[in-house]
Amino acid sequence: MPNLNQHAPLRFITAGSVDDGKSTLIGRLLYDSKALLGDLEAEREQGITIDVAYRYFSTARRKYIIADTPGHEQYTRNMVTGASTAHAAVLLLDASQLDYRQTPLQLLPQTKRHSAILHHLRCPHIIVAINKMDLLDYDETKYRAIVAAYDTLAAQLGLADVHYIPISALNGDNLVHASRHTPWYRGDTLLATLEALPVGDNISD
């Protein structure tokens, strides 16, 4: 029987293309949840992370282990390392980098690549964090276009449990606190989504 204990430690990976905002998201998530770690700034000052960097934090509801992996294509193996033991993945997607004149909308190659890897590694839960919505004036239509494009990809890959959240990692929109800039979004924040995810038994604990 799967372990559906929502209070069990959750291991999740952050993945995405270069400059999608993974470091900003992690920093803001830890800061807004009052769990900023002392080594975060030091790691940021060193520049690109080549290996998998692990972060540990907890809220009142759960403990977390974050595997922060580099977005560069040549370090895809590091993303595989982090994802192989993850209960969930936060896949960042830079909404400002897409060409909305396309019909249908095309996702970035690295987004497709990482999604395929997550499928092959049987990652149980995918959270698509649609980032930099502030650069698009929090446009609901563009957000919906991204959701539709990823829904198509998810169906092609066979990804079952996919969550979508419009965010601005820089401004903290929908990370820990619901954003007033997205009144059209009725879903949970990123942290609330992570807190509610069940931990299954398909990953060795």
Side-chain angles (χ1 to χ4, degrees), residues 3-13 61-64 86-90 123-127 161-163 188-200:
N3 172 18
L4 300 182
N5 181 3
Q6 293 182 352
H7 301 286
L10 180 79
R11 291 196 296 272
F12 70 93
I13 182 177
R61 293 192 60 186
R62 171 174 266 174
K63 294 180 180 179
Y64 302 89
H87 301 113
V90 177
C123 186
H125 310 286
I126 310 295
I127 301 171
D161 188 40
V162 181
H163 307 257
D188 288 331
T189 63
L190 175 60
L191 183 60
T193 301
L194 291 169
E195 286 183 331
L197 288 181
V199 174

PDB file of all heavy atoms in Angstrom, residues 3-13 61-64 86-90 123-127 161-163 188-200:
ATOM      1  N   ASN A   3       2.306   4.914   0.869  1.00  0.00           N
ATOM      2  CA  ASN A   3       2.307   5.775   2.034  1.00  0.00           C
ATOM      3  C   ASN A   3       1.788   7.141   1.631  1.00  0.00           C
ATOM      4  O   ASN A   3       2.464   7.881   0.933  1.00  0.00           O
ATOM      5  CB  ASN A   3       3.744   5.887   2.594  1.00  0.00           C
ATOM      6  CG  ASN A   3       3.849   6.929   3.689  1.00  0.00           C
ATOM      7  OD1 ASN A   3       2.844   7.334   4.268  1.00  0.00           O
ATOM      8  ND2 ASN A   3       5.065   7.357   3.968  1.00  0.00           N
ATOM      9  N   LEU A   4       0.586   7.471   2.057  1.00  0.00           N
ATOM     10  CA  LEU A   4      -0.018   8.743   1.689  1.00  0.00           C
ATOM     11  C   LEU A   4       0.092   9.747   2.821  1.00  0.00           C
ATOM     12  O   LEU A   4      -0.726  10.653   2.953  1.00  0.00           O
ATOM     13  CB  LEU A   4      -1.491   8.523   1.303  1.00  0.00           C
ATOM     14  CG  LEU A   4      -1.708   7.576   0.123  1.00  0.00           C
ATOM     15  CD1 LEU A   4      -3.184   7.478  -0.204  1.00  0.00           C
ATOM     16  CD2 LEU A   4      -0.928   8.015  -1.095  1.00  0.00           C
ATOM     17  N   ASN A   5       1.108   9.593   3.652  1.00  0.00           N
ATOM     18  CA  ASN A   5       1.310  10.483   4.793  1.00  0.00           C
ATOM     19  C   ASN A   5       1.731  11.863   4.300  1.00  0.00           C
ATOM     20  O   ASN A   5       2.836  12.042   3.810  1.00  0.00           O
ATOM     21  CB  ASN A   5       2.390   9.898   5.705  1.00  0.00           C
ATOM     22  CG  ASN A   5       2.631  10.754   6.936  1.00  0.00           C
ATOM     23  OD1 ASN A   5       1.960  11.764   7.143  1.00  0.00           O
ATOM     24  ND2 ASN A   5       3.582  10.351   7.746  1.00  0.00           N
ATOM     25  N   GLN A   6       0.849  12.843   4.467  1.00  0.00           N
ATOM     26  CA  GLN A   6       1.156  14.189   3.998  1.00  0.00           C
ATOM     27  C   GLN A   6       2.155  14.890   4.906  1.00  0.00           C
ATOM     28  O   GLN A   6       2.604  15.982   4.597  1.00  0.00           O
ATOM     29  CB  GLN A   6      -0.132  15.002   3.885  1.00  0.00           C
ATOM     30  CG  GLN A   6      -1.061  14.506   2.793  1.00  0.00           C
ATOM     31  CD  GLN A   6      -2.304  15.350   2.654  1.00  0.00           C
ATOM     32  OE1 GLN A   6      -2.565  16.231   3.469  1.00  0.00           O
ATOM     33  NE2 GLN A   6      -3.088  15.084   1.632  1.00  0.00           N
ATOM     34  N   HIS A   7       2.487  14.256   6.033  1.00  0.00           N
ATOM     35  CA  HIS A   7       3.448  14.867   6.947  1.00  0.00           C
ATOM     36  C   HIS A   7       4.839  14.249   6.782  1.00  0.00           C
ATOM     37  O   HIS A   7       5.775  14.647   7.459  1.00  0.00           O
ATOM     38  CB  HIS A   7       2.964  14.731   8.396  1.00  0.00           C
ATOM     39  CG  HIS A   7       1.628  15.363   8.636  1.00  0.00           C
ATOM     40  ND1 HIS A   7       1.446  16.726   8.717  1.00  0.00           N
ATOM     41  CD2 HIS A   7       0.396  14.824   8.786  1.00  0.00           C
ATOM     42  CE1 HIS A   7       0.170  16.995   8.922  1.00  0.00           C
ATOM     43  NE2 HIS A   7      -0.491  15.865   8.960  1.00  0.00           N
ATOM     44  N   ALA A   8       4.962  13.268   5.908  1.00  0.00           N
ATOM     45  CA  ALA A   8       6.259  12.663   5.653  1.00  0.00           C
ATOM     46  C   ALA A   8       7.137  13.646   4.882  1.00  0.00           C
ATOM     47  O   ALA A   8       6.636  14.495   4.156  1.00  0.00           O
ATOM     48  CB  ALA A   8       6.081  11.375   4.856  1.00  0.00           C
ATOM     49  N   PRO A   9       8.466  13.546   5.045  1.00  0.00           N
ATOM     50  CA  PRO A   9       9.356  14.428   4.275  1.00  0.00           C
ATOM     51  C   PRO A   9       9.123  14.272   2.777  1.00  0.00           C
ATOM     52  O   PRO A   9       8.965  13.163   2.271  1.00  0.00           O
ATOM     53  CB  PRO A   9      10.752  13.941   4.677  1.00  0.00           C
ATOM     54  CG  PRO A   9      10.566  13.288   6.000  1.00  0.00           C
ATOM     55  CD  PRO A   9       9.206  12.661   5.950  1.00  0.00           C
ATOM     56  N   LEU A  10       9.104  15.383   2.082  1.00  0.00           N
ATOM     57  CA  LEU A  10       8.876  15.384   0.639  1.00  0.00           C
ATOM     58  C   LEU A  10      10.166  15.785  -0.065  1.00  0.00           C
ATOM     59  O   LEU A  10      10.720  16.843   0.201  1.00  0.00           O
ATOM     60  CB  LEU A  10       7.766  16.364   0.271  1.00  0.00           C
ATOM     61  CG  LEU A  10       7.435  16.444  -1.223  1.00  0.00           C
ATOM     62  CD1 LEU A  10       6.553  15.260  -1.626  1.00  0.00           C
ATOM     63  CD2 LEU A  10       6.725  17.751  -1.559  1.00  0.00           C
ATOM     64  N   ARG A  11      10.625  14.922  -0.952  1.00  0.00           N
ATOM     65  CA  ARG A  11      11.783  15.245  -1.773  1.00  0.00           C
ATOM     66  C   ARG A  11      11.284  15.744  -3.117  1.00  0.00           C
ATOM     67  O   ARG A  11      10.551  15.029  -3.815  1.00  0.00           O
ATOM     68  CB  ARG A  11      12.678  14.016  -1.963  1.00  0.00           C
ATOM     69  CG  ARG A  11      13.395  13.571  -0.715  1.00  0.00           C
ATOM     70  CD  ARG A  11      14.538  12.629  -1.057  1.00  0.00           C
ATOM     71  NE  ARG A  11      14.068  11.401  -1.659  1.00  0.00           N
ATOM     72  CZ  ARG A  11      13.705  10.320  -0.974  1.00  0.00           C
ATOM     73  NH1 ARG A  11      13.747  10.339   0.353  1.00  0.00           N
ATOM     74  NH2 ARG A  11      13.295   9.232  -1.598  1.00  0.00           N
ATOM     75  N   PHE A  12      11.696  16.949  -3.489  1.00  0.00           N
ATOM     76  CA  PHE A  12      11.290  17.436  -4.802  1.00  0.00           C
ATOM     77  C   PHE A  12      12.455  18.103  -5.508  1.00  0.00           C
ATOM     78  O   PHE A  12      13.393  18.597  -4.896  1.00  0.00           O
ATOM     79  CB  PHE A  12      10.076  18.373  -4.715  1.00  0.00           C
ATOM     80  CG  PHE A  12      10.316  19.720  -4.085  1.00  0.00           C
ATOM     81  CD1 PHE A  12      10.648  20.827  -4.859  1.00  0.00           C
ATOM     82  CD2 PHE A  12      10.165  19.893  -2.715  1.00  0.00           C
ATOM     83  CE1 PHE A  12      10.841  22.064  -4.292  1.00  0.00           C
ATOM     84  CE2 PHE A  12      10.351  21.138  -2.133  1.00  0.00           C
ATOM     85  CZ  PHE A  12      10.687  22.235  -2.920  1.00  0.00           C
ATOM     86  N   ILE A  13      12.382  18.067  -6.827  1.00  0.00           N
ATOM     87  CA  ILE A  13      13.420  18.630  -7.680  1.00  0.00           C
ATOM     88  C   ILE A  13      12.896  19.899  -8.326  1.00  0.00           C
ATOM     89  O   ILE A  13      11.701  20.011  -8.621  1.00  0.00           O
ATOM     90  CB  ILE A  13      13.841  17.612  -8.760  1.00  0.00           C
ATOM     91  CG1 ILE A  13      14.969  18.157  -9.632  1.00  0.00           C
ATOM     92  CG2 ILE A  13      12.660  17.183  -9.615  1.00  0.00           C
ATOM     93  CD1 ILE A  13      15.480  17.164 -10.662  1.00  0.00           C
ATOM     94  N   ARG A  61       3.832  21.992   8.621  1.00  0.00           N
ATOM     95  CA  ARG A  61       3.159  20.779   8.165  1.00  0.00           C
ATOM     96  C   ARG A  61       4.095  19.695   7.663  1.00  0.00           C
ATOM     97  O   ARG A  61       3.740  18.525   7.664  1.00  0.00           O
ATOM     98  CB  ARG A  61       2.168  21.122   7.047  1.00  0.00           C
ATOM     99  CG  ARG A  61       1.000  21.970   7.494  1.00  0.00           C
ATOM    100  CD  ARG A  61      -0.074  22.018   6.425  1.00  0.00           C
ATOM    101  NE  ARG A  61      -0.585  20.682   6.125  1.00  0.00           N
ATOM    102  CZ  ARG A  61      -1.454  20.419   5.152  1.00  0.00           C
ATOM    103  NH1 ARG A  61      -1.873  21.397   4.375  1.00  0.00           N
ATOM    104  NH2 ARG A  61      -1.877  19.185   4.949  1.00  0.00           N
ATOM    105  N   ARG A  62       5.303  20.064   7.219  1.00  0.00           N
ATOM    106  CA  ARG A  62       6.121  19.051   6.550  1.00  0.00           C
ATOM    107  C   ARG A  62       7.582  19.477   6.463  1.00  0.00           C
ATOM    108  O   ARG A  62       7.894  20.651   6.474  1.00  0.00           O
ATOM    109  CB  ARG A  62       5.560  18.817   5.138  1.00  0.00           C
ATOM    110  CG  ARG A  62       6.395  17.978   4.231  1.00  0.00           C
ATOM    111  CD  ARG A  62       5.682  17.684   2.925  1.00  0.00           C
ATOM    112  NE  ARG A  62       4.979  16.417   2.995  1.00  0.00           N
ATOM    113  CZ  ARG A  62       4.166  15.942   2.055  1.00  0.00           C
ATOM    114  NH1 ARG A  62       3.910  16.676   0.993  1.00  0.00           N
ATOM    115  NH2 ARG A  62       3.591  14.769   2.169  1.00  0.00           N
ATOM    116  N   LYS A  63       8.463  18.473   6.336  1.00  0.00           N
ATOM    117  CA  LYS A  63       9.867  18.707   6.032  1.00  0.00           C
ATOM    118  C   LYS A  63      10.097  18.473   4.544  1.00  0.00           C
ATOM    119  O   LYS A  63       9.435  17.642   3.925  1.00  0.00           O
ATOM    120  CB  LYS A  63      10.762  17.766   6.843  1.00  0.00           C
ATOM    121  CG  LYS A  63      10.717  18.025   8.341  1.00  0.00           C
ATOM    122  CD  LYS A  63      11.615  17.060   9.082  1.00  0.00           C
ATOM    123  CE  LYS A  63      11.576  17.320  10.579  1.00  0.00           C
ATOM    124  NZ  LYS A  63      12.432  16.362  11.320  1.00  0.00           N
ATOM    125  N   TYR A  64      11.071  19.214   3.973  1.00  0.00           N
ATOM    126  CA  TYR A  64      11.332  19.140   2.543  1.00  0.00           C
ATOM    127  C   TYR A  64      12.817  18.986   2.278  1.00  0.00           C
ATOM    128  O   TYR A  64      13.658  19.511   3.006  1.00  0.00           O
ATOM    129  CB  TYR A  64      10.861  20.413   1.834  1.00  0.00           C
ATOM    130  CG  TYR A  64       9.398  20.713   2.014  1.00  0.00           C
ATOM    131  CD1 TYR A  64       8.965  21.478   3.090  1.00  0.00           C
ATOM    132  CD2 TYR A  64       8.452  20.239   1.116  1.00  0.00           C
ATOM    133  CE1 TYR A  64       7.619  21.760   3.271  1.00  0.00           C
ATOM    134  CE2 TYR A  64       7.111  20.518   1.276  1.00  0.00           C
ATOM    135  CZ  TYR A  64       6.696  21.272   2.361  1.00  0.00           C
ATOM    136  OH  TYR A  64       5.369  21.538   2.533  1.00  0.00           O
ATOM    137  N   ALA A  86      13.186  11.728  -6.401  1.00  0.00           N
ATOM    138  CA  ALA A  86      12.224  12.781  -6.047  1.00  0.00           C
ATOM    139  C   ALA A  86      10.799  12.254  -6.027  1.00  0.00           C
ATOM    140  O   ALA A  86      10.402  11.444  -6.859  1.00  0.00           O
ATOM    141  CB  ALA A  86      12.328  13.934  -7.037  1.00  0.00           C
ATOM    142  N   HIS A  87      10.036  12.730  -5.046  1.00  0.00           N
ATOM    143  CA  HIS A  87       8.606  12.433  -5.007  1.00  0.00           C
ATOM    144  C   HIS A  87       7.828  13.347  -5.949  1.00  0.00           C
ATOM    145  O   HIS A  87       6.714  13.025  -6.359  1.00  0.00           O
ATOM    146  CB  HIS A  87       8.061  12.634  -3.587  1.00  0.00           C
ATOM    147  CG  HIS A  87       8.723  11.795  -2.551  1.00  0.00           C
ATOM    148  ND1 HIS A  87       9.512  12.316  -1.550  1.00  0.00           N
ATOM    149  CD2 HIS A  87       8.721  10.442  -2.375  1.00  0.00           C
ATOM    150  CE1 HIS A  87       9.955  11.333  -0.778  1.00  0.00           C
ATOM    151  NE2 HIS A  87       9.498  10.195  -1.258  1.00  0.00           N
ATOM    152  N   ALA A  88       8.396  14.510  -6.244  1.00  0.00           N
ATOM    153  CA  ALA A  88       7.704  15.495  -7.078  1.00  0.00           C
ATOM    154  C   ALA A  88       8.737  16.357  -7.789  1.00  0.00           C
ATOM    155  O   ALA A  88       9.912  16.391  -7.406  1.00  0.00           O
ATOM    156  CB  ALA A  88       6.784  16.366  -6.220  1.00  0.00           C
ATOM    157  N   ALA A  89       8.281  17.043  -8.818  1.00  0.00           N
ATOM    158  CA  ALA A  89       9.146  17.969  -9.554  1.00  0.00           C
ATOM    159  C   ALA A  89       8.430  19.297  -9.716  1.00  0.00           C
ATOM    160  O   ALA A  89       7.242  19.329 -10.068  1.00  0.00           O
ATOM    161  CB  ALA A  89       9.505  17.398 -10.916  1.00  0.00           C
ATOM    162  N   VAL A  90       9.160  20.387  -9.437  1.00  0.00           N
ATOM    163  CA  VAL A  90       8.684  21.725  -9.765  1.00  0.00           C
ATOM    164  C   VAL A  90       9.391  22.121 -11.050  1.00  0.00           C
ATOM    165  O   VAL A  90      10.588  22.396 -11.054  1.00  0.00           O
ATOM    166  CB  VAL A  90       8.982  22.728  -8.635  1.00  0.00           C
ATOM    167  CG1 VAL A  90       8.540  24.128  -9.049  1.00  0.00           C
ATOM    168  CG2 VAL A  90       8.284  22.305  -7.344  1.00  0.00           C
ATOM    169  N   CYS A 123       8.390  10.067 -12.135  1.00  0.00           N
ATOM    170  CA  CYS A 123       8.174  11.050 -11.074  1.00  0.00           C
ATOM    171  C   CYS A 123       6.665  11.194 -10.864  1.00  0.00           C
ATOM    172  O   CYS A 123       5.928  11.511 -11.810  1.00  0.00           O
ATOM    173  CB  CYS A 123       8.784  12.394 -11.465  1.00  0.00           C
ATOM    174  SG  CYS A 123       8.725  13.637 -10.157  1.00  0.00           S
ATOM    175  N   PRO A 124       6.169  10.966  -9.653  1.00  0.00           N
ATOM    176  CA  PRO A 124       4.723  10.875  -9.437  1.00  0.00           C
ATOM    177  C   PRO A 124       3.952  12.177  -9.640  1.00  0.00           C
ATOM    178  O   PRO A 124       2.812  12.150 -10.099  1.00  0.00           O
ATOM    179  CB  PRO A 124       4.606  10.407  -7.979  1.00  0.00           C
ATOM    180  CG  PRO A 124       5.935   9.832  -7.636  1.00  0.00           C
ATOM    181  CD  PRO A 124       6.928  10.609  -8.439  1.00  0.00           C
ATOM    182  N   HIS A 125       4.553  13.302  -9.286  1.00  0.00           N
ATOM    183  CA  HIS A 125       3.817  14.567  -9.313  1.00  0.00           C
ATOM    184  C   HIS A 125       4.642  15.643 -10.023  1.00  0.00           C
ATOM    185  O   HIS A 125       5.817  15.840  -9.702  1.00  0.00           O
ATOM    186  CB  HIS A 125       3.498  15.051  -7.893  1.00  0.00           C
ATOM    187  CG  HIS A 125       2.871  13.994  -7.033  1.00  0.00           C
ATOM    188  ND1 HIS A 125       1.569  13.577  -7.179  1.00  0.00           N
ATOM    189  CD2 HIS A 125       3.388  13.256  -6.016  1.00  0.00           C
ATOM    190  CE1 HIS A 125       1.303  12.636  -6.289  1.00  0.00           C
ATOM    191  NE2 HIS A 125       2.386  12.423  -5.578  1.00  0.00           N
ATOM    192  N   ILE A 126       4.013  16.338 -10.960  1.00  0.00           N
ATOM    193  CA  ILE A 126       4.669  17.425 -11.684  1.00  0.00           C
ATOM    194  C   ILE A 126       3.919  18.723 -11.383  1.00  0.00           C
ATOM    195  O   ILE A 126       2.705  18.802 -11.575  1.00  0.00           O
ATOM    196  CB  ILE A 126       4.649  17.202 -13.216  1.00  0.00           C
ATOM    197  CG1 ILE A 126       5.148  15.797 -13.573  1.00  0.00           C
ATOM    198  CG2 ILE A 126       5.465  18.287 -13.913  1.00  0.00           C
ATOM    199  CD1 ILE A 126       6.586  15.546 -13.249  1.00  0.00           C
ATOM    200  N   ILE A 127       4.654  19.721 -10.909  1.00  0.00           N
ATOM    201  CA  ILE A 127       4.088  21.053 -10.697  1.00  0.00           C
ATOM    202  C   ILE A 127       4.723  21.985 -11.715  1.00  0.00           C
ATOM    203  O   ILE A 127       5.926  22.244 -11.667  1.00  0.00           O
ATOM    204  CB  ILE A 127       4.358  21.567  -9.274  1.00  0.00           C
ATOM    205  CG1 ILE A 127       3.770  20.609  -8.228  1.00  0.00           C
ATOM    206  CG2 ILE A 127       3.773  22.966  -9.094  1.00  0.00           C
ATOM    207  CD1 ILE A 127       4.180  20.943  -6.802  1.00  0.00           C
ATOM    208  N   ASP A 161      -0.289  13.188 -13.063  1.00  0.00           N
ATOM    209  CA  ASP A 161      -0.631  14.178 -12.041  1.00  0.00           C
ATOM    210  C   ASP A 161       0.149  15.469 -12.282  1.00  0.00           C
ATOM    211  O   ASP A 161       1.308  15.596 -11.881  1.00  0.00           O
ATOM    212  CB  ASP A 161      -0.331  13.622 -10.639  1.00  0.00           C
ATOM    213  CG  ASP A 161      -0.851  14.531  -9.542  1.00  0.00           C
ATOM    214  OD1 ASP A 161      -1.960  15.082  -9.699  1.00  0.00           O
ATOM    215  OD2 ASP A 161      -0.148  14.706  -8.526  1.00  0.00           O
ATOM    216  N   VAL A 162      -0.474  16.433 -12.951  1.00  0.00           N
ATOM    217  CA  VAL A 162       0.177  17.692 -13.300  1.00  0.00           C
ATOM    218  C   VAL A 162      -0.612  18.844 -12.698  1.00  0.00           C
ATOM    219  O   VAL A 162      -1.832  18.918 -12.838  1.00  0.00           O
ATOM    220  CB  VAL A 162       0.275  17.882 -14.827  1.00  0.00           C
ATOM    221  CG1 VAL A 162       0.973  19.200 -15.155  1.00  0.00           C
ATOM    222  CG2 VAL A 162       1.024  16.711 -15.462  1.00  0.00           C
ATOM    223  N   HIS A 163       0.100  19.736 -11.999  1.00  0.00           N
ATOM    224  CA  HIS A 163      -0.499  20.938 -11.405  1.00  0.00           C
ATOM    225  C   HIS A 163       0.098  22.158 -12.093  1.00  0.00           C
ATOM    226  O   HIS A 163       1.280  22.174 -12.430  1.00  0.00           O
ATOM    227  CB  HIS A 163      -0.194  21.009  -9.903  1.00  0.00           C
ATOM    228  CG  HIS A 163      -0.567  19.769  -9.143  1.00  0.00           C
ATOM    229  ND1 HIS A 163      -1.682  19.681  -8.357  1.00  0.00           N
ATOM    230  CD2 HIS A 163       0.046  18.560  -9.064  1.00  0.00           C
ATOM    231  CE1 HIS A 163      -1.752  18.482  -7.817  1.00  0.00           C
ATOM    232  NE2 HIS A 163      -0.708  17.777  -8.227  1.00  0.00           N
ATOM    233  N   ASP A 188      -4.184  26.503  -5.573  1.00  0.00           N
ATOM    234  CA  ASP A 188      -3.340  26.683  -4.397  1.00  0.00           C
ATOM    235  C   ASP A 188      -2.022  27.360  -4.760  1.00  0.00           C
ATOM    236  O   ASP A 188      -1.604  27.369  -5.912  1.00  0.00           O
ATOM    237  CB  ASP A 188      -3.028  25.327  -3.749  1.00  0.00           C
ATOM    238  CG  ASP A 188      -4.235  24.727  -3.046  1.00  0.00           C
ATOM    239  OD1 ASP A 188      -5.093  25.502  -2.588  1.00  0.00           O
ATOM    240  OD2 ASP A 188      -4.311  23.488  -2.972  1.00  0.00           O
ATOM    241  N   THR A 189      -1.362  27.901  -3.741  1.00  0.00           N
ATOM    242  CA  THR A 189      -0.011  28.411  -3.916  1.00  0.00           C
ATOM    243  C   THR A 189       0.946  27.228  -4.086  1.00  0.00           C
ATOM    244  O   THR A 189       0.571  26.062  -3.878  1.00  0.00           O
ATOM    245  CB  THR A 189       0.440  29.233  -2.700  1.00  0.00           C
ATOM    246  OG1 THR A 189       0.476  28.357  -1.552  1.00  0.00           O
ATOM    247  CG2 THR A 189      -0.512  30.394  -2.444  1.00  0.00           C
ATOM    248  N   LEU A 190       2.181  27.527  -4.453  1.00  0.00           N
ATOM    249  CA  LEU A 190       3.168  26.460  -4.604  1.00  0.00           C
ATOM    250  C   LEU A 190       3.383  25.725  -3.287  1.00  0.00           C
ATOM    251  O   LEU A 190       3.393  24.493  -3.247  1.00  0.00           O
ATOM    252  CB  LEU A 190       4.489  27.043  -5.112  1.00  0.00           C
ATOM    253  CG  LEU A 190       5.656  26.057  -5.210  1.00  0.00           C
ATOM    254  CD1 LEU A 190       5.340  24.915  -6.163  1.00  0.00           C
ATOM    255  CD2 LEU A 190       6.934  26.773  -5.644  1.00  0.00           C
ATOM    256  N   LEU A 191       3.553  26.468  -2.203  1.00  0.00           N
ATOM    257  CA  LEU A 191       3.809  25.821  -0.918  1.00  0.00           C
ATOM    258  C   LEU A 191       2.625  24.971  -0.484  1.00  0.00           C
ATOM    259  O   LEU A 191       2.806  23.843  -0.011  1.00  0.00           O
ATOM    260  CB  LEU A 191       4.129  26.869   0.153  1.00  0.00           C
ATOM    261  CG  LEU A 191       4.487  26.283   1.537  1.00  0.00           C
ATOM    262  CD1 LEU A 191       5.720  25.386   1.439  1.00  0.00           C
ATOM    263  CD2 LEU A 191       4.703  27.392   2.552  1.00  0.00           C
ATOM    264  N   ALA A 192       1.415  25.480  -0.646  1.00  0.00           N
ATOM    265  CA  ALA A 192       0.224  24.700  -0.271  1.00  0.00           C
ATOM    266  C   ALA A 192       0.120  23.432  -1.097  1.00  0.00           C
ATOM    267  O   ALA A 192      -0.277  22.370  -0.593  1.00  0.00           O
ATOM    268  CB  ALA A 192      -1.028  25.558  -0.435  1.00  0.00           C
ATOM    269  N   THR A 193       0.488  23.516  -2.365  1.00  0.00           N
ATOM    270  CA  THR A 193       0.473  22.335  -3.229  1.00  0.00           C
ATOM    271  C   THR A 193       1.489  21.311  -2.752  1.00  0.00           C
ATOM    272  O   THR A 193       1.189  20.111  -2.658  1.00  0.00           O
ATOM    273  CB  THR A 193       0.764  22.732  -4.689  1.00  0.00           C
ATOM    274  OG1 THR A 193      -0.219  23.671  -5.122  1.00  0.00           O
ATOM    275  CG2 THR A 193       0.737  21.514  -5.599  1.00  0.00           C
ATOM    276  N   LEU A 194       2.693  21.774  -2.421  1.00  0.00           N
ATOM    277  CA  LEU A 194       3.728  20.870  -1.915  1.00  0.00           C
ATOM    278  C   LEU A 194       3.318  20.249  -0.584  1.00  0.00           C
ATOM    279  O   LEU A 194       3.577  19.065  -0.333  1.00  0.00           O
ATOM    280  CB  LEU A 194       5.048  21.626  -1.752  1.00  0.00           C
ATOM    281  CG  LEU A 194       5.747  22.064  -3.040  1.00  0.00           C
ATOM    282  CD1 LEU A 194       6.887  23.024  -2.725  1.00  0.00           C
ATOM    283  CD2 LEU A 194       6.262  20.858  -3.813  1.00  0.00           C
ATOM    284  N   GLU A 195       2.683  21.031   0.257  1.00  0.00           N
ATOM    285  CA  GLU A 195       2.266  20.520   1.570  1.00  0.00           C
ATOM    286  C   GLU A 195       1.225  19.421   1.448  1.00  0.00           C
ATOM    287  O   GLU A 195       1.146  18.537   2.297  1.00  0.00           O
ATOM    288  CB  GLU A 195       1.715  21.664   2.428  1.00  0.00           C
ATOM    289  CG  GLU A 195       2.782  22.601   2.957  1.00  0.00           C
ATOM    290  CD  GLU A 195       2.232  23.682   3.862  1.00  0.00           C
ATOM    291  OE1 GLU A 195       1.057  24.075   3.692  1.00  0.00           O
ATOM    292  OE2 GLU A 195       2.978  24.150   4.746  1.00  0.00           O
ATOM    293  N   ALA A 196       0.429  19.463   0.395  1.00  0.00           N
ATOM    294  CA  ALA A 196      -0.680  18.520   0.251  1.00  0.00           C
ATOM    295  C   ALA A 196      -0.329  17.263  -0.526  1.00  0.00           C
ATOM    296  O   ALA A 196      -1.106  16.307  -0.544  1.00  0.00           O
ATOM    297  CB  ALA A 196      -1.864  19.214  -0.414  1.00  0.00           C
ATOM    298  N   LEU A 197       0.841  17.232  -1.166  1.00  0.00           N
ATOM    299  CA  LEU A 197       1.177  16.075  -2.006  1.00  0.00           C
ATOM    300  C   LEU A 197       1.394  14.823  -1.168  1.00  0.00           C
ATOM    301  O   LEU A 197       2.121  14.849  -0.175  1.00  0.00           O
ATOM    302  CB  LEU A 197       2.438  16.355  -2.832  1.00  0.00           C
ATOM    303  CG  LEU A 197       2.325  17.328  -3.989  1.00  0.00           C
ATOM    304  CD1 LEU A 197       3.673  17.456  -4.685  1.00  0.00           C
ATOM    305  CD2 LEU A 197       1.253  16.906  -4.991  1.00  0.00           C
ATOM    306  N   PRO A 198       0.791  13.703  -1.582  1.00  0.00           N
ATOM    307  CA  PRO A 198       1.068  12.442  -0.883  1.00  0.00           C
ATOM    308  C   PRO A 198       2.426  11.906  -1.283  1.00  0.00           C
ATOM    309  O   PRO A 198       2.918  12.153  -2.377  1.00  0.00           O
ATOM    310  CB  PRO A 198      -0.060  11.532  -1.379  1.00  0.00           C
ATOM    311  CG  PRO A 198      -0.392  12.051  -2.738  1.00  0.00           C
ATOM    312  CD  PRO A 198      -0.193  13.541  -2.670  1.00  0.00           C
ATOM    313  N   VAL A 199       3.036  11.162  -0.391  1.00  0.00           N
ATOM    314  CA  VAL A 199       4.308  10.494  -0.669  1.00  0.00           C
ATOM    315  C   VAL A 199       4.018   9.029  -0.893  1.00  0.00           C
ATOM    316  O   VAL A 199       3.549   8.331   0.003  1.00  0.00           O
ATOM    317  CB  VAL A 199       5.302  10.686   0.496  1.00  0.00           C
ATOM    318  CG1 VAL A 199       6.564   9.850   0.252  1.00  0.00           C
ATOM    319  CG2 VAL A 199       5.662  12.145   0.662  1.00  0.00           C
ATOM    320  N   GLY A 200       4.274   8.549  -2.122  1.00  0.00           N
ATOM    321  CA  GLY A 200       3.986   7.149  -2.451  1.00  0.00           C
ATOM    322  C   GLY A 200       5.162   6.241  -2.136  1.00  0.00           C
ATOM    323  O   GLY A 200       6.218   6.688  -1.682  1.00  0.00           O
TER     324      GLY A 200
END
